[in-house]
Amino acid sequence: KEINRLSKNWLIFHKSNDGFNSPNMKNGKTFDIEYMVDVTSSYYFDFLDTIGYFPLIRIEDLYNEDIISYYDAITVDISTKEYLIAMLNKILVSDSIKYLEPKRIQGNNIICIATQKITEFHPITFYGDGFVRIVRIILEILLNKDGRLMIDEIETGIHFLRQEGFWRIVMEVAIENNVQIFCTTHSQDCIKSFVAASDEKKGVKDRLRLIELEAGTKDPSKIYASTYNIDLVKSGLESNINMRGGNLYA
């Protein structure tokens, strides 16, 4: 009950000998709460200093130099670097990336690319926050191979017309690297794109779920979760049913 009264920004997770786990896993194990941290507070960074990397992409996480360390970690294997470039080329449809590597620009380390049209190295920030967001997401999926990744407001920075293609890439990279993704959104366009992308990827639908969280209006400390498979999400969209959260009269 006390946990239910915490801010929606609080991240609660558990740790076993095998790593971080959800308390409702089917293996019947029980876990003690080891950490609770508000991801919007400065304490989050103190927390990261304590445990090191945690698989969470926050809404404000765009280009920081931590991306360089992720890039260095996954590109030790040349084939993984080639895979990264191939995935990014599916997003950068108007051009083709030839080379990708960190460069020192105005005293800062930044990932740069050279393309078929622009042969000189230039920073990925040249293409805007949406492209930087995609680079970060793909890097962190690869970094968390055979694990889990959480992404807050996943569509941030992605134009609604590009979200279906974005979802296809995320699904492809996650499945090929066996990464379970938990992401949040309040966007109807994002949900529609999520469903549309699932139609184009064979063998994906059974892996996907939308979980709606709603607070009771009589007792706001109570949170109700409703889980929908893709077919139910489609029906909800066609019937104009809210599946983005809100308040319930309960």
Side-chain angles (χ1 to χ4, degrees):
K1 291 182 179 179
E2 292 302 317
I3 291 175
N4 277 337
R5 294 191 180 96
L6 292 175
S7 160
K8 64 181 180 180
N9 296 321
W10 281 83
L11 178 65
I12 303 168
F13 53 93
H14 311 255
K15 190 176 183 182
S16 71
N17 292 333
D18 299 322
F20 291 98
N21 290 279
S22 166
N24 58 354
M25 293 178 70
K26 295 181 180 179
N27 58 15
K29 293 181 180 178
T30 58
F31 304 92
D32 294 326
I33 294 176
E34 295 205 358
Y35 302 103
M36 292 191 298
V37 61
D38 183 345
V39 298
T40 63
S41 75
S42 60
Y43 295 109
Y44 177 70
F45 298 100
D46 295 334
F47 165 77
L48 286 183
D49 289 340
T50 301
I51 70 160
Y53 174 78
F54 186 72
L56 167 68
I57 299 176
R58 301 175 306 154
I59 190 171
E60 61 266 46
D61 288 336
L62 290 172
Y63 194 91
N64 298 311
E65 287 203 8
D66 60 340
I67 287 185
I68 296 291
S69 63
Y70 305 157
Y71 173 87
D72 289 341
I74 68 111
T75 57
V76 172
D77 182 352
I78 295 177
S79 63
T80 306
K81 181 177 180 179
E82 292 173 347
Y83 177 85
L84 173 61
I85 291 174
M87 291 300 106
L88 292 177
N89 275 334
K90 292 185 178 184
I91 294 292
L92 200 66
V93 292
S94 61
D95 204 348
S96 178
I97 299 171
K98 296 298 184 182
Y99 304 101
L100 174 75
E101 59 185 73
K103 296 288 183 181
R104 193 79 176 167
I105 298 179
Q106 296 180 345
N108 297 311
N109 291 321
I110 188 166
I111 295 176
C112 294
I113 61 175
T115 69
Q116 190 169 6
K117 292 182 179 180
I118 308 176
T119 56
E120 293 184 357
F121 277 102
H122 52 288
I124 58 173
T125 52
F126 177 82
Y127 297 94
D129 288 347
F131 187 72
V132 173
R133 177 83 163 173
I134 293 169
V135 172
R136 172 177 284 278
I137 289 172
I138 294 176
L139 279 174
E140 295 208 42
I141 292 175
L142 295 174
L143 188 68
N144 289 284
K145 184 178 177 66
D146 299 321
R148 302 179 183 89
L149 176 64
M150 293 176 285
I151 307 172
D152 188 23
E153 302 290 352
I154 189 169
E155 80 287 353
T156 299
I158 313 297
H159 192 278
F160 75 95
L161 293 177
R162 303 294 300 275
Q163 286 180 16
E164 183 180 336
F166 163 71
W167 268 119
R168 286 198 297 269
I169 298 300
V170 170
M171 291 177 187
E172 180 176 350
V173 179
I175 290 171
E176 290 179 352
N177 291 276
N178 191 35
V179 176
Q180 184 178 23
I181 293 180
F182 298 87
C183 59
T184 65
T185 185
H186 293 90
S187 166
Q188 189 83 335
D189 288 325
C190 184
I191 295 173
K192 290 178 180 177
S193 299
F194 172 71
V195 171
S198 72
D199 282 337
E200 297 190 19
K201 302 293 293 181
K202 292 183 179 180
V204 172
K205 290 185 179 181
D206 290 341
R207 300 169 178 256
L208 305 176
R209 294 292 185 273
L210 184 150
I211 302 173
E212 179 192 10
L213 300 177
E214 295 186 283
T217 54
K218 292 182 179 178
D219 185 356
S221 69
K222 291 183 178 180
I223 305 296
Y224 298 86
S226 302
T227 302
Y228 306 91
N229 61 27
I230 288 296
D231 290 334
L232 289 174
V233 177
K234 281 184 179 180
S235 298
L237 290 172
E238 291 170 359
S239 304
N240 198 30
I241 294 173
N242 174 48
M243 292 176 288
R244 295 176 293 161
N247 294 326
L248 283 175
Y249 292 96

mmCIF file of all heavy atoms in Angstrom, residues 167-202:
data_model
loop_
_atom_site.group_PDB
_atom_site.id
_atom_site.type_symbol
_atom_site.label_atom_id
_atom_site.label_comp_id
_atom_site.label_asym_id
_atom_site.label_seq_id
_atom_site.Cartn_x
_atom_site.Cartn_y
_atom_site.Cartn_z
ATOM 1 N N TRP A 167 9.117 1.760 -35.420
ATOM 2 C CA TRP A 167 8.699 0.579 -34.678
ATOM 3 C C TRP A 167 9.201 -0.701 -35.339
ATOM 4 O O TRP A 167 9.582 -1.662 -34.655
ATOM 5 C CB TRP A 167 7.172 0.537 -34.564
ATOM 6 C CG TRP A 167 6.611 1.190 -33.339
ATOM 7 C CD1 TRP A 167 5.762 2.258 -33.295
ATOM 8 C CD2 TRP A 167 6.845 0.822 -31.978
ATOM 9 N NE1 TRP A 167 5.458 2.576 -31.996
ATOM 10 C CE2 TRP A 167 6.102 1.707 -31.164
ATOM 11 C CE3 TRP A 167 7.610 -0.167 -31.366
ATOM 12 C CZ2 TRP A 167 6.104 1.626 -29.780
ATOM 13 C CZ3 TRP A 167 7.613 -0.252 -29.990
ATOM 14 C CH2 TRP A 167 6.868 0.640 -29.211
ATOM 15 N N ARG A 168 9.180 -0.750 -36.675
ATOM 16 C CA ARG A 168 9.652 -1.952 -37.369
ATOM 17 C C ARG A 168 11.116 -2.230 -37.039
ATOM 18 O O ARG A 168 11.505 -3.384 -36.825
ATOM 19 C CB ARG A 168 9.467 -1.800 -38.883
ATOM 20 C CG ARG A 168 8.034 -1.915 -39.355
ATOM 21 C CD ARG A 168 7.964 -2.202 -40.849
ATOM 22 N NE ARG A 168 8.535 -1.110 -41.634
ATOM 23 C CZ ARG A 168 7.840 -0.083 -42.105
ATOM 24 N NH1 ARG A 168 6.529 -0.006 -41.857
ATOM 25 N NH2 ARG A 168 8.419 0.858 -42.816
ATOM 26 N N ILE A 169 11.920 -1.156 -37.004
ATOM 27 C CA ILE A 169 13.344 -1.315 -36.678
ATOM 28 C C ILE A 169 13.517 -1.774 -35.237
ATOM 29 O O ILE A 169 14.294 -2.693 -34.947
ATOM 30 C CB ILE A 169 14.101 0.013 -36.907
ATOM 31 C CG1 ILE A 169 14.031 0.433 -38.363
ATOM 32 C CG2 ILE A 169 15.553 -0.134 -36.462
ATOM 33 C CD1 ILE A 169 14.628 -0.553 -39.329
ATOM 34 N N VAL A 170 12.789 -1.147 -34.319
ATOM 35 C CA VAL A 170 12.896 -1.518 -32.904
ATOM 36 C C VAL A 170 12.520 -2.982 -32.713
ATOM 37 O O VAL A 170 13.217 -3.737 -32.014
ATOM 38 C CB VAL A 170 12.002 -0.610 -32.032
ATOM 39 C CG1 VAL A 170 11.924 -1.137 -30.604
ATOM 40 C CG2 VAL A 170 12.535 0.818 -32.028
ATOM 41 N N MET A 171 11.418 -3.412 -33.335
ATOM 42 C CA MET A 171 10.987 -4.807 -33.219
ATOM 43 C C MET A 171 12.036 -5.751 -33.798
ATOM 44 O O MET A 171 12.362 -6.781 -33.196
ATOM 45 C CB MET A 171 9.649 -4.998 -33.939
ATOM 46 C CG MET A 171 8.469 -4.327 -33.276
ATOM 47 S SD MET A 171 6.951 -4.529 -34.248
ATOM 48 C CE MET A 171 5.814 -3.461 -33.342
ATOM 49 N N GLU A 172 12.565 -5.403 -34.949
ATOM 50 C CA GLU A 172 13.548 -6.255 -35.609
ATOM 51 C C GLU A 172 14.811 -6.408 -34.763
ATOM 52 O O GLU A 172 15.288 -7.529 -34.532
ATOM 53 C CB GLU A 172 13.902 -5.675 -36.983
ATOM 54 C CG GLU A 172 14.929 -6.492 -37.757
ATOM 55 C CD GLU A 172 15.194 -5.948 -39.144
ATOM 56 O OE1 GLU A 172 14.446 -5.045 -39.594
ATOM 57 O OE2 GLU A 172 16.152 -6.419 -39.787
ATOM 58 N N VAL A 173 15.353 -5.286 -34.288
ATOM 59 C CA VAL A 173 16.593 -5.333 -33.517
ATOM 60 C C VAL A 173 16.370 -6.049 -32.182
ATOM 61 O O VAL A 173 17.206 -6.850 -31.737
ATOM 62 C CB VAL A 173 17.156 -3.914 -33.279
ATOM 63 C CG1 VAL A 173 18.432 -3.970 -32.453
ATOM 64 C CG2 VAL A 173 17.428 -3.218 -34.613
ATOM 65 N N ALA A 174 15.229 -5.794 -31.548
ATOM 66 C CA ALA A 174 14.941 -6.426 -30.256
ATOM 67 C C ALA A 174 14.803 -7.941 -30.404
ATOM 68 O O ALA A 174 15.358 -8.704 -29.595
ATOM 69 C CB ALA A 174 13.672 -5.834 -29.658
ATOM 70 N N ILE A 175 14.082 -8.387 -31.407
ATOM 71 C CA ILE A 175 13.876 -9.827 -31.593
ATOM 72 C C ILE A 175 15.187 -10.518 -31.964
ATOM 73 O O ILE A 175 15.532 -11.578 -31.418
ATOM 74 C CB ILE A 175 12.798 -10.082 -32.661
ATOM 75 C CG1 ILE A 175 11.426 -9.670 -32.117
ATOM 76 C CG2 ILE A 175 12.789 -11.547 -33.093
ATOM 77 C CD1 ILE A 175 10.326 -9.683 -33.144
ATOM 78 N N GLU A 176 15.939 -9.918 -32.878
ATOM 79 C CA GLU A 176 17.188 -10.544 -33.327
ATOM 80 C C GLU A 176 18.231 -10.613 -32.217
ATOM 81 O O GLU A 176 19.129 -11.461 -32.256
ATOM 82 C CB GLU A 176 17.743 -9.790 -34.533
ATOM 83 C CG GLU A 176 16.906 -9.989 -35.793
ATOM 84 C CD GLU A 176 17.439 -9.230 -36.983
ATOM 85 O OE1 GLU A 176 18.373 -8.411 -36.815
ATOM 86 O OE2 GLU A 176 16.915 -9.441 -38.101
ATOM 87 N N ASN A 177 18.107 -9.737 -31.212
ATOM 88 C CA ASN A 177 19.074 -9.731 -30.110
ATOM 89 C C ASN A 177 18.474 -10.216 -28.796
ATOM 90 O O ASN A 177 19.099 -10.086 -27.752
ATOM 91 C CB ASN A 177 19.652 -8.318 -29.952
ATOM 92 C CG ASN A 177 20.548 -7.937 -31.109
ATOM 93 O OD1 ASN A 177 21.726 -8.273 -31.123
ATOM 94 N ND2 ASN A 177 19.981 -7.244 -32.096
ATOM 95 N N ASN A 178 17.254 -10.767 -28.884
ATOM 96 C CA ASN A 178 16.594 -11.370 -27.720
ATOM 97 C C ASN A 178 16.507 -10.393 -26.546
ATOM 98 O O ASN A 178 16.890 -10.703 -25.418
ATOM 99 C CB ASN A 178 17.330 -12.647 -27.291
ATOM 100 C CG ASN A 178 16.537 -13.451 -26.266
ATOM 101 O OD1 ASN A 178 15.309 -13.485 -26.317
ATOM 102 N ND2 ASN A 178 17.230 -14.092 -25.335
ATOM 103 N N VAL A 179 16.001 -9.199 -26.825
ATOM 104 C CA VAL A 179 15.848 -8.166 -25.791
ATOM 105 C C VAL A 179 14.366 -7.889 -25.574
ATOM 106 O O VAL A 179 13.633 -7.609 -26.521
ATOM 107 C CB VAL A 179 16.576 -6.865 -26.189
ATOM 108 C CG1 VAL A 179 16.326 -5.777 -25.143
ATOM 109 C CG2 VAL A 179 18.072 -7.113 -26.346
ATOM 110 N N GLN A 180 13.934 -7.988 -24.324
ATOM 111 C CA GLN A 180 12.559 -7.652 -23.982
ATOM 112 C C GLN A 180 12.497 -6.164 -23.668
ATOM 113 O O GLN A 180 13.252 -5.663 -22.829
ATOM 114 C CB GLN A 180 12.086 -8.465 -22.780
ATOM 115 C CG GLN A 180 10.627 -8.242 -22.427
ATOM 116 C CD GLN A 180 10.162 -9.098 -21.252
ATOM 117 O OE1 GLN A 180 10.982 -9.522 -20.443
ATOM 118 N NE2 GLN A 180 8.876 -9.336 -21.150
ATOM 119 N N ILE A 181 11.590 -5.457 -24.332
ATOM 120 C CA ILE A 181 11.492 -4.008 -24.167
ATOM 121 C C ILE A 181 10.198 -3.642 -23.444
ATOM 122 O O ILE A 181 9.118 -4.115 -23.798
ATOM 123 C CB ILE A 181 11.550 -3.292 -25.532
ATOM 124 C CG1 ILE A 181 12.939 -3.477 -26.148
ATOM 125 C CG2 ILE A 181 11.216 -1.810 -25.387
ATOM 126 C CD1 ILE A 181 13.101 -2.813 -27.492
ATOM 127 N N PHE A 182 10.335 -2.806 -22.425
ATOM 128 C CA PHE A 182 9.202 -2.198 -21.747
ATOM 129 C C PHE A 182 9.246 -0.715 -22.072
ATOM 130 O O PHE A 182 10.230 -0.045 -21.751
ATOM 131 C CB PHE A 182 9.298 -2.393 -20.231
ATOM 132 C CG PHE A 182 9.278 -3.830 -19.785
ATOM 133 C CD1 PHE A 182 10.450 -4.570 -19.713
ATOM 134 C CD2 PHE A 182 8.085 -4.435 -19.441
ATOM 135 C CE1 PHE A 182 10.441 -5.888 -19.304
ATOM 136 C CE2 PHE A 182 8.054 -5.766 -19.024
ATOM 137 C CZ PHE A 182 9.238 -6.490 -18.964
ATOM 138 N N CYS A 183 8.209 -0.191 -22.713
ATOM 139 C CA CYS A 183 8.228 1.234 -23.061
ATOM 140 C C CYS A 183 6.897 1.880 -22.698
ATOM 141 O O CYS A 183 5.873 1.205 -22.577
ATOM 142 C CB CYS A 183 8.536 1.430 -24.546
ATOM 143 S SG CYS A 183 7.363 0.646 -25.654
ATOM 144 N N THR A 184 6.931 3.186 -22.502
ATOM 145 C CA THR A 184 5.720 3.932 -22.187
ATOM 146 C C THR A 184 5.393 4.895 -23.317
ATOM 147 O O THR A 184 6.277 5.310 -24.074
ATOM 148 C CB THR A 184 5.875 4.745 -20.892
ATOM 149 O OG1 THR A 184 6.883 5.757 -21.089
ATOM 150 C CG2 THR A 184 6.273 3.857 -19.728
ATOM 151 N N THR A 185 4.109 5.236 -23.418
ATOM 152 C CA THR A 185 3.667 6.260 -24.357
ATOM 153 C C THR A 185 2.298 6.760 -23.917
ATOM 154 O O THR A 185 1.541 6.034 -23.261
ATOM 155 C CB THR A 185 3.581 5.731 -25.801
ATOM 156 O OG1 THR A 185 3.257 6.813 -26.686
ATOM 157 C CG2 THR A 185 2.506 4.657 -25.952
ATOM 158 N N HIS A 186 1.983 7.994 -24.273
ATOM 159 C CA HIS A 186 0.637 8.534 -24.123
ATOM 160 C C HIS A 186 0.078 8.918 -25.494
ATOM 161 O O HIS A 186 -0.952 9.588 -25.590
ATOM 162 C CB HIS A 186 0.642 9.768 -23.210
ATOM 163 C CG HIS A 186 0.997 9.464 -21.792
ATOM 164 N ND1 HIS A 186 2.290 9.495 -21.321
ATOM 165 C CD2 HIS A 186 0.222 9.089 -20.744
ATOM 166 C CE1 HIS A 186 2.297 9.184 -20.043
ATOM 167 N NE2 HIS A 186 1.063 8.925 -19.665
ATOM 168 N N SER A 187 0.769 8.501 -26.552
ATOM 169 C CA SER A 187 0.451 8.930 -27.911
ATOM 170 C C SER A 187 -0.410 7.915 -28.649
ATOM 171 O O SER A 187 -0.034 6.757 -28.797
ATOM 172 C CB SER A 187 1.749 9.172 -28.691
ATOM 173 O OG SER A 187 1.492 9.285 -30.077
ATOM 174 N N GLN A 188 -1.554 8.381 -29.141
ATOM 175 C CA GLN A 188 -2.415 7.523 -29.958
ATOM 176 C C GLN A 188 -1.725 7.170 -31.272
ATOM 177 O O GLN A 188 -1.837 6.042 -31.767
ATOM 178 C CB GLN A 188 -3.751 8.234 -30.235
ATOM 179 C CG GLN A 188 -4.810 7.358 -30.897
ATOM 180 C CD GLN A 188 -5.571 6.515 -29.891
ATOM 181 O OE1 GLN A 188 -5.064 6.217 -28.808
ATOM 182 N NE2 GLN A 188 -6.790 6.125 -30.245
ATOM 183 N N ASP A 189 -1.016 8.145 -31.865
ATOM 184 C CA ASP A 189 -0.286 7.878 -33.103
ATOM 185 C C ASP A 189 0.758 6.787 -32.892
ATOM 186 O O ASP A 189 0.975 5.940 -33.763
ATOM 187 C CB ASP A 189 0.398 9.148 -33.612
ATOM 188 C CG ASP A 189 -0.581 10.154 -34.181
ATOM 189 O OD1 ASP A 189 -1.579 9.728 -34.786
ATOM 190 O OD2 ASP A 189 -0.342 11.369 -34.036
ATOM 191 N N CYS A 190 1.417 6.807 -31.743
ATOM 192 C CA CYS A 190 2.435 5.802 -31.435
ATOM 193 C C CYS A 190 1.802 4.416 -31.345
ATOM 194 O O CYS A 190 2.361 3.426 -31.857
ATOM 195 C CB CYS A 190 3.136 6.159 -30.128
ATOM 196 S SG CYS A 190 4.495 5.054 -29.686
ATOM 197 N N ILE A 191 0.640 4.321 -30.722
ATOM 198 C CA ILE A 191 -0.054 3.034 -30.604
ATOM 199 C C ILE A 191 -0.489 2.529 -31.982
ATOM 200 O O ILE A 191 -0.337 1.344 -32.311
ATOM 201 C CB ILE A 191 -1.262 3.154 -29.656
ATOM 202 C CG1 ILE A 191 -0.786 3.474 -28.239
ATOM 203 C CG2 ILE A 191 -2.092 1.880 -29.669
ATOM 204 C CD1 ILE A 191 -1.908 3.781 -27.258
ATOM 205 N N LYS A 192 -1.020 3.433 -32.806
ATOM 206 C CA LYS A 192 -1.432 3.047 -34.161
ATOM 207 C C LYS A 192 -0.234 2.538 -34.974
ATOM 208 O O LYS A 192 -0.333 1.545 -35.701
ATOM 209 C CB LYS A 192 -2.076 4.238 -34.871
ATOM 210 C CG LYS A 192 -3.442 4.632 -34.330
ATOM 211 C CD LYS A 192 -3.988 5.851 -35.066
ATOM 212 C CE LYS A 192 -5.362 6.250 -34.538
ATOM 213 N NZ LYS A 192 -5.878 7.475 -35.205
ATOM 214 N N SER A 193 0.891 3.229 -34.842
ATOM 215 C CA SER A 193 2.101 2.820 -35.567
ATOM 216 C C SER A 193 2.628 1.486 -35.052
ATOM 217 O O SER A 193 3.128 0.666 -35.822
ATOM 218 C CB SER A 193 3.179 3.898 -35.425
ATOM 219 O OG SER A 193 2.739 5.121 -35.970
ATOM 220 N N PHE A 194 2.517 1.281 -33.758
ATOM 221 C CA PHE A 194 2.913 0.024 -33.120
ATOM 222 C C PHE A 194 2.141 -1.143 -33.728
ATOM 223 O O PHE A 194 2.711 -2.184 -34.092
ATOM 224 C CB PHE A 194 2.642 0.157 -31.623
ATOM 225 C CG PHE A 194 2.808 -1.083 -30.796
ATOM 226 C CD1 PHE A 194 4.066 -1.605 -30.541
ATOM 227 C CD2 PHE A 194 1.700 -1.722 -30.242
ATOM 228 C CE1 PHE A 194 4.225 -2.740 -29.744
ATOM 229 C CE2 PHE A 194 1.845 -2.853 -29.445
ATOM 230 C CZ PHE A 194 3.112 -3.360 -29.204
ATOM 231 N N VAL A 195 0.828 -0.959 -33.886
ATOM 232 C CA VAL A 195 -0.023 -2.007 -34.462
ATOM 233 C C VAL A 195 0.297 -2.214 -35.934
ATOM 234 O O VAL A 195 0.425 -3.355 -36.407
ATOM 235 C CB VAL A 195 -1.513 -1.645 -34.275
ATOM 236 C CG1 VAL A 195 -2.403 -2.605 -35.058
ATOM 237 C CG2 VAL A 195 -1.889 -1.664 -32.801
ATOM 238 N N ALA A 196 0.437 -1.117 -36.683
ATOM 239 C CA ALA A 196 0.728 -1.216 -38.113
ATOM 240 C C ALA A 196 2.048 -1.930 -38.372
ATOM 241 O O ALA A 196 2.163 -2.756 -39.272
ATOM 242 C CB ALA A 196 0.743 0.173 -38.743
ATOM 243 N N ALA A 197 3.051 -1.616 -37.556
ATOM 244 C CA ALA A 197 4.362 -2.257 -37.715
ATOM 245 C C ALA A 197 4.281 -3.749 -37.416
ATOM 246 O O ALA A 197 4.958 -4.558 -38.057
ATOM 247 C CB ALA A 197 5.390 -1.590 -36.807
ATOM 248 N N SER A 198 3.441 -4.130 -36.471
ATOM 249 C CA SER A 198 3.315 -5.548 -36.109
ATOM 250 C C SER A 198 2.717 -6.356 -37.251
ATOM 251 O O SER A 198 2.985 -7.556 -37.376
ATOM 252 C CB SER A 198 2.452 -5.713 -34.854
ATOM 253 O OG SER A 198 1.077 -5.463 -35.133
ATOM 254 N N ASP A 199 1.908 -5.718 -38.088
ATOM 255 C CA ASP A 199 1.297 -6.410 -39.225
ATOM 256 C C ASP A 199 2.332 -6.794 -40.278
ATOM 257 O O ASP A 199 2.130 -7.733 -41.042
ATOM 258 C CB ASP A 199 0.223 -5.528 -39.882
ATOM 259 C CG ASP A 199 -1.072 -5.526 -39.089
ATOM 260 O OD1 ASP A 199 -1.300 -6.495 -38.328
ATOM 261 O OD2 ASP A 199 -1.852 -4.577 -39.233
ATOM 262 N N GLU A 200 3.425 -6.035 -40.338
ATOM 263 C CA GLU A 200 4.415 -6.241 -41.383
ATOM 264 C C GLU A 200 5.558 -7.156 -40.953
ATOM 265 O O GLU A 200 6.371 -7.555 -41.782
ATOM 266 C CB GLU A 200 4.979 -4.896 -41.841
ATOM 267 C CG GLU A 200 3.925 -3.997 -42.476
ATOM 268 C CD GLU A 200 4.545 -2.778 -43.134
ATOM 269 O OE1 GLU A 200 5.763 -2.804 -43.403
ATOM 270 O OE2 GLU A 200 3.813 -1.815 -43.364
ATOM 271 N N LYS A 201 5.646 -7.460 -39.675
ATOM 272 C CA LYS A 201 6.716 -8.316 -39.176
ATOM 273 C C LYS A 201 6.153 -9.689 -38.819
ATOM 274 O O LYS A 201 5.374 -9.831 -37.882
ATOM 275 C CB LYS A 201 7.385 -7.700 -37.945
ATOM 276 C CG LYS A 201 7.981 -6.321 -38.165
ATOM 277 C CD LYS A 201 9.154 -6.332 -39.112
ATOM 278 C CE LYS A 201 10.333 -7.045 -38.548
ATOM 279 N NZ LYS A 201 11.493 -7.034 -39.457
ATOM 280 N N LYS A 202 6.519 -10.685 -39.571
ATOM 281 C CA LYS A 202 6.006 -12.030 -39.354
ATOM 282 C C LYS A 202 6.486 -12.591 -38.009
ATOM 283 O O LYS A 202 7.626 -12.405 -37.619
ATOM 284 C CB LYS A 202 6.455 -12.950 -40.492
ATOM 285 C CG LYS A 202 5.817 -12.622 -41.836
ATOM 286 C CD LYS A 202 6.256 -13.618 -42.899
ATOM 287 C CE LYS A 202 5.604 -13.297 -44.238
ATOM 288 N NZ LYS A 202 6.018 -14.247 -45.297
#
